[in-house]
Amino acid sequence: MSKNILISFLVSTGIIAAAPLFFPYSIFKTDVESKLSMLSNTKAQIGEISFNYSPRPEFVLSNVILDSSETASIERISIPLNTYNILNLGNSIRDITLSKAQFSRAFAIDLPNRLQPKAGSGLKIGRINLEDTSVKLENGLVGPVNGQLRFKADGSIDDLLITSDQGRAELQVQPAEGDAFKVQFNAKGWQLPFTYPVEFEYLKLIGTANREGIEIADIRADVYGGLVTGNAALKWDQGWTLAGQLFSKNIQAEPFIKVFSHVTRSSGRMNADAQFRFQAAHYNTLFKQPQISGRFIIQDGMLSNFDLVTPLKSQSPSVQSRGGQTNFNTLSGAIAISSQSVQLRQLSLDAGKFRSRGDIVIRDNKISGNIISQLAAGTVTASNQLQVGGTLDAPELRSGGAYRPSNEAAPITETVQPETLPAASGE
């Protein structure tokens, strides 16, 4: 008898446990669509309602459309059947997850107004998790990203927190006056996800966003032992444009330059300022057309793969290939970077009794330029002119031989121009 009771109990329990999987939720679909329409302030359509036990008990709304597929489409909305949602049934709900959602730009910007609590709705949202969420623009998608939409106690949006790179970078967006948003980006131990992976120990960007773009009023970064500050503006109303200026102080030159060249580089501490502009039809290609110009000075360092002193020791023509080094007190100059070339102009290297001046162009990994040098050792003065060639991996210095006049040579005051150097913005 007891055995039959046990079997009946187990069967009943199994039927009850399985019931949510077979329950005809479609009979409630109209009511759920009505509640979702009220919450989102737009017409909602749900493809299917189901229930899952794994990985956690949850109701699932599949193929959800808000207004139209062009406005907002969500592949899956998961509503967990947790203690909080059960105890606050009909009053508050949290930890909803939206998976593979796509919103139009206008819909995303208007979310703070759409999700504002309305009189008579009777339901407040506590937290929404976003998985693989994208925003549709006229010329492509931004995303997908993962994040969390958090709400205040009164049910209005507090902020949107987007994380990436396993939590090393996060973007916080908060509603401001009108259709504006406060924006703050923080990152630690983070690399730029672009052509040149500069690594930041710490990076903070603070600005304001609206329908046209983002004004980044404050940039602060710790990078390679130094400090970078500046400001920028990102516009997306007509294509994508990023422009601004940066100021750096006390950066370790060697690891910074190594990002751009693993062979030819310099040690020392660098101060620099730069203006930059990037422009493209799509944000994925924004950084492929750089327009950067600036000035730099490196102090107490060593220039690798450029031995400028040895050619002064011989009056015979010579060709010096990769190798060697030149120590200096200061190395300064102007730089212009475009997609076609890197131009180093008005270069000036000073190392006490040794000095060099010159201009160098790097295009398609090939180097060209001229350098004039002078070495004063006691009463003897030697000078020469070097033609720079080869590649970044294997630079060459060609000398016609050192010149040693009987009297002291005039000081170097002018830079030799190797070729006409077009402006970076014109390429």
Side-chain angles (χ1 to χ4, degrees), residues 87-334:
L87 295 178
N88 294 275
L89 185 65
N91 296 316
S92 180
I93 190 171
R94 68 184 184 190
D95 290 328
I96 299 172
T97 299
L98 275 58
S99 301
K100 295 185 178 179
Q102 286 190 3
F103 303 122
S104 69
R105 178 168 62 180
F107 186 89
I109 291 175
D110 200 36
L111 271 179
N113 296 324
R114 290 180 176 274
L115 297 181
Q116 189 72 22
K118 300 170 185 64
S121 64
L123 181 63
K124 294 179 180 178
I125 301 175
R127 188 163 52 231
I128 296 178
N129 301 310
L130 305 174
E131 295 180 351
D132 294 334
T133 299
S134 304
V135 175
K136 293 186 288 188
L137 304 178
E138 291 78 0
N139 50 8
L141 291 175
V142 174
V145 298
N146 298 330
Q148 192 173 82
L149 196 59
R150 300 184 292 194
F151 295 78
K152 299 178 182 178
D154 63 1
S156 61
I157 291 180
D158 185 13
D159 66 3
L160 169 64
L161 187 66
I162 297 173
T163 59
S164 65
D165 289 347
Q166 299 178 340
R168 287 191 294 268
E170 63 178 30
L171 174 67
Q172 183 184 34
V173 182
Q174 291 181 297
E177 295 182 1
D179 62 353
F181 297 84
K182 295 179 181 178
V183 178
Q184 181 169 319
F185 178 79
N186 299 314
K188 292 183 179 180
W190 183 72
Q191 281 189 351
L192 281 176
F194 311 130
T195 305
Y196 299 112
V198 176
E199 184 170 341
F200 294 90
E201 289 89 18
Y202 176 75
L203 173 64
K204 175 182 282 189
L205 310 177
I206 299 176
T208 303
N210 55 30
R211 294 178 183 272
E212 287 75 39
I214 304 175
E215 293 289 339
I216 306 171
D218 188 15
I219 300 174
R220 292 186 178 274
D222 297 330
V223 54
Y224 302 120
L227 175 67
V228 174
T229 59
N231 56 74
L234 175 64
K235 301 293 184 182
W236 54 58
D237 54 333
Q238 296 180 350
W240 288 77
T241 303
L242 175 63
Q245 55 185 347
L246 296 173
F247 307 92
S248 63
K249 184 176 182 181
N250 237 12
I251 290 179
Q252 295 179 21
E254 187 166 10
F256 177 74
I257 297 175
K258 190 176 180 179
V259 173
F260 305 89
S261 171
H262 291 280
V263 179
T264 303
R265 54 184 182 270
S266 172
S267 62
R269 288 283 182 173
M270 180 175 67
N271 295 345
D273 61 77
Q275 293 75 46
F276 60 88
R277 181 180 177 85
F278 301 88
Q279 191 167 5
H282 192 274
Y283 85 101
N284 284 334
T285 59
L286 181 59
F287 294 92
K288 292 186 177 181
Q289 299 290 332
Q291 298 178 27
I292 304 171
S293 63
R295 297 196 61 86
F296 66 90
I297 180 169
I298 306 174
Q299 297 178 318
D300 300 324
M302 179 185 69
L303 186 62
S304 299
N305 268 335
F306 277 95
D307 183 356
L308 303 177
V309 178
T310 296
L312 287 168
K313 297 178 180 179
S314 173
Q315 292 181 290
S316 301
S318 63
V319 178
Q320 184 176 345
S321 299
R322 169 184 172 180
Q325 61 191 40
T326 303
N327 295 316
F328 58 83
N329 298 330
T330 62
L331 172 61
S332 62

Side-chain angles (χ1 to χ4, degrees), residues 400-416:
Y403 174 63
R404 300 176 181 175
S406 56
N407 56 350
E408 186 175 352
I412 300 174
T413 58
E414 295 184 358
T415 299
V416 177

